[in-house]
């Protein structure tokens, strides 16, 4: 709590156009006493503070500069979040106050744990990190109170693993993440720790491969989502930009020695790219994109391969086959995409490209 008595005595005195000598005369004290109060060299006694408040027609709390803080539960939680957002170390003291008042509230405990994690990492302070671990474990036990869908027992374990790493306990971090790696949630982190912190590259590869496969799938879904958004918004420039980026990503992950299901996906992307080019009145580019789509589709359909090893860098992974709903073959995927777009110019152009024998 910050006391602003000195500043307020000066402010109220000047507001009434009084000199230090005049205020001292009113209060029956020396000029030196008033000077020391305003210079923060000393503080008046309580009876004198009350007398000044009465003279200045204000309250004692206003004269002191005290602002009553809202310490109700939700206000305390929001204040902790603000301290975290601002990376304000005062939040640590605020957290301990809130924990004393609400020791069994999930939000208070978890937000406090976040504060200790952040400052423990930034300051490389072991005691702060140990306190963070204690609070994370406590928040795990209080998890039934949680209403935030972004927080689960798995995310809490992830936070605990981060703290273990900072405490130079990499093996504990890896084992904790391995035990709670549902759906490959932490495969990237496990692979990274094994490859760097633990110096076990061979053990890291299956986890990194699983992560690459999982995230490639996520990127494909994300691009498809954006395509639909941009098409509905008639924002064809943005659609073209993300399709070109998608082509770069998928082409870069293609294993040249193997047929790849990425070609099937990319053939559909190129049909969508052609549509953006039709909308931009660049029919030459659109035709080129359709030709490339046909080439990719024919290559895939000639020897379809949905295995994970079709992606570059994926190795030593448990058996996995990709699935999609774009069509039984790549060519059917193109036909389905053309039907969904429903553009006459694009469909006519595709028939011309498809009928042309190179």
């Amino acid at each position: 709590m910050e006391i602003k008595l000195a500043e307020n005595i000066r402010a109220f005195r000047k507001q009434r156009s009084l000199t230090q000598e005049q205020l001292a005369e009113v209060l029956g004290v020396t000029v030196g006493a008033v000077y020391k109060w305003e210079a923060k060299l000393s503080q008046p006694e309580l009876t004198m503070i009350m007398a000044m408040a009465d003279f200045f027609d204000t309250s004692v709390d206003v004269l002191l500069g005290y602002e009553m803080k809202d310490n109700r539960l939700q206000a305390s939680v929001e204040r902790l979040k603000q301290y975290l957002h601002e990376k304000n170390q005062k939040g640590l003291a605020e957290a301990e106050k809130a924990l004393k008042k609400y020791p069994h509230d999930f939000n208070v405990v978890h937000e406090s744990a976040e504060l200790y994690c952040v400052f423990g990492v930034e300051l490389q302070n072991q005691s702060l990190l140990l306190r963070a671990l204690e609070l994370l474990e406590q928040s795990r036990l209080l998890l039934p109170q949680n209403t935030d869908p972004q927080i689960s027992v798995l995310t809490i374990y992830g936070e605990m693993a981060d703290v273990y790493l900072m405490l130079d306990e990499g093996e504990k971090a890896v084992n904790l993440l391995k035990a709670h790696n549902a759906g490959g949630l932490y495969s990237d982190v496990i692979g990274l720790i094994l490859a760097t912190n633990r110096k076990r590259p061979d053990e890291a590869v299956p986890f990194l491969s699983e992560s690459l496969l999982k995230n490639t799938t996520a990127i494909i879904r994300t691009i498809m989502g954006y395509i639909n958004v941009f098409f509905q918004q008639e924002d064809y420039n943005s659609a073209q930009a993300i399709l070109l980026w998608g082509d770069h990503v998928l082409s870069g992950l293609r294993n040249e020695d193997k047929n790849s299901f990425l070609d099937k996906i990319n053939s559909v992307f190129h049909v969508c790219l052609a549509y953006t080019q039709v909308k931009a009145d660049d029919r030459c580019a659109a035709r080129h994109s359709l030709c490339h789509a046909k080439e990719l589709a024919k290559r895939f359909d000639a020897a379809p391969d949905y295995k994970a090893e079709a992606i570059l860098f994926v190795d030593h992974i448990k058996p996995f086959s990709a699935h999609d709903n774009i069509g039984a073959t790549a060519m059917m995927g193109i036909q389905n995409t053309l039907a969904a777009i429903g553009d006459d110019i694009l469909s006519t152009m595709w028939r011309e490209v498809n009928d042309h024998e190179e």
Side-chain angles (χ1 to χ4, degrees):
M1 185 193 316
E2 185 178 1
I3 300 296
K4 296 184 177 180
L5 179 60
E7 295 89 336
N8 288 339
I9 291 174
R10 184 183 305 109
F12 278 115
R13 173 177 63 77
K14 290 186 174 181
Q15 192 179 63
R16 284 160 175 72
S17 302
L18 297 174
T19 63
Q20 289 184 342
E21 290 84 355
Q22 289 171 326
L23 179 59
E25 184 179 348
V26 168
L27 298 174
V29 297
T30 64
V31 176
V34 174
Y35 169 78
K36 288 181 179 180
W37 296 342
E38 294 187 0
K40 296 185 180 180
L41 298 176
S42 68
Q43 287 189 349
E45 295 181 355
L46 178 58
T47 53
M48 184 56 66
I49 294 174
M50 294 171 63
M52 276 190 284
D54 183 62
F55 174 72
F56 290 133
D57 295 322
T58 190
S59 61
V60 171
D61 59 342
V62 170
L63 186 61
L64 289 171
Y66 173 76
E67 294 182 14
M68 188 172 182
K69 191 183 295 181
D70 186 351
N71 289 313
R72 289 174 294 181
L73 177 58
Q74 191 54 42
S76 296
V77 171
E78 292 303 320
R79 197 154 51 243
L80 293 177
K81 289 181 178 180
Q82 188 64 27
Y83 280 124
L84 182 63
H85 175 70
E86 296 172 353
K87 291 190 176 183
N88 188 337
Q89 288 188 43
K90 291 181 180 179
L92 296 175
E94 190 71 26
E96 289 302 326
K97 290 179 184 177
L99 287 165
K100 286 182 174 64
K101 192 166 185 178
Y102 305 105
H104 304 299
D105 180 81
F106 171 80
N107 291 317
V108 168
V109 174
H110 189 258
E111 289 298 331
S112 298
E114 295 275 288
L115 278 162
Y116 275 97
C117 282
V118 166
F119 292 115
V121 169
E122 285 193 355
L123 302 174
Q124 297 185 358
N125 185 305
Q126 186 176 28
S127 63
L128 295 182
L129 291 169
L130 290 172
R131 179 61 169 148
L133 271 180
E134 178 187 350
L135 292 170
L136 285 169
E137 178 60 25
Q138 189 179 344
S139 66
R140 184 182 69 82
L141 299 175
L142 296 170
L143 198 57
Q145 299 177 22
N146 176 49
T147 58
D148 186 345
Q150 298 297 316
I151 302 173
S152 71
V153 66
L154 296 180
T155 62
I156 290 175
Y157 282 133
E159 291 174 307
M160 293 174 72
D162 287 340
V163 176
Y164 279 131
L165 274 178
M166 289 303 302
L167 290 170
D168 201 24
E169 296 188 53
E171 202 62 32
K172 277 188 178 181
V174 166
N175 291 336
L176 182 63
L177 293 175
K178 282 183 177 180
H180 302 95
N181 191 33
L185 178 65
Y186 290 117
S187 291
D188 56 336
V189 183
I190 295 170
L192 178 62
I193 296 172
L194 287 171
T196 55
N197 184 278
R198 310 316 295 163
K199 309 297 182 186
R200 285 160 23 206
D202 291 343
E203 190 179 342
V205 169
F207 290 101
L208 295 173
S209 294
E210 182 179 28
S211 174
L212 181 60
L213 193 62
K214 178 174 178 286
N215 285 290
T216 300
T217 303
I219 286 173
I220 290 170
R221 286 197 298 262
T222 302
I223 292 172
M224 287 181 168
Y226 268 121
I227 292 169
N228 281 276
V229 167
F230 294 142
F231 280 5
Q232 291 175 53
Q233 294 175 340
E234 299 184 1
D235 183 358
Y236 301 109
N237 288 333
S238 295
Q240 185 171 138
I242 200 164
L243 283 162
L244 290 171
W245 176 74
D247 173 51
H248 182 73
V249 171
L250 297 189
S251 298
L253 289 174
R254 189 180 184 279
N255 192 330
E256 293 298 331
D257 297 330
K258 300 177 181 179
N259 213 0
S260 173
F261 66 88
L262 295 179
D263 289 339
K264 181 181 181 182
I265 302 298
N266 214 2
S267 66
V268 169
F269 281 2
H270 274 79
V271 173
C272 295
L273 179 62
Y275 179 52
T276 68
Q277 291 161 337
V278 166
K279 286 297 184 179
D281 201 24
D282 189 350
R283 298 196 181 188
C284 181
R287 185 178 297 275
H288 177 77
S289 294
L290 288 176
C291 287
H292 192 49
K294 179 183 176 182
E295 178 188 341
L296 291 170
K298 285 179 65 178
R299 183 167 63 191
F300 177 79
D301 288 344
D305 188 349
Y306 289 92
K307 293 190 290 294
E309 290 79 1
I311 295 182
L312 195 63
F313 310 120
V314 172
D315 197 9
H316 300 298
I317 193 171
K318 58 187 178 182
F320 171 88
S321 293
H323 303 278
D324 62 68
N325 60 355
I326 61 178
T329 66
M331 291 298 284
M332 288 180 63
I334 289 177
Q335 293 289 354
N336 292 336
T337 303
L338 288 166
I341 292 174
D343 184 81
D344 292 338
I345 296 175
L346 186 67
S347 296
T348 300
M349 194 177 292
W350 169 251
R351 284 194 295 271
E352 293 171 353
V353 167
N354 202 33
D355 291 341
H356 178 69
E357 293 293 332
E358 298 182 8

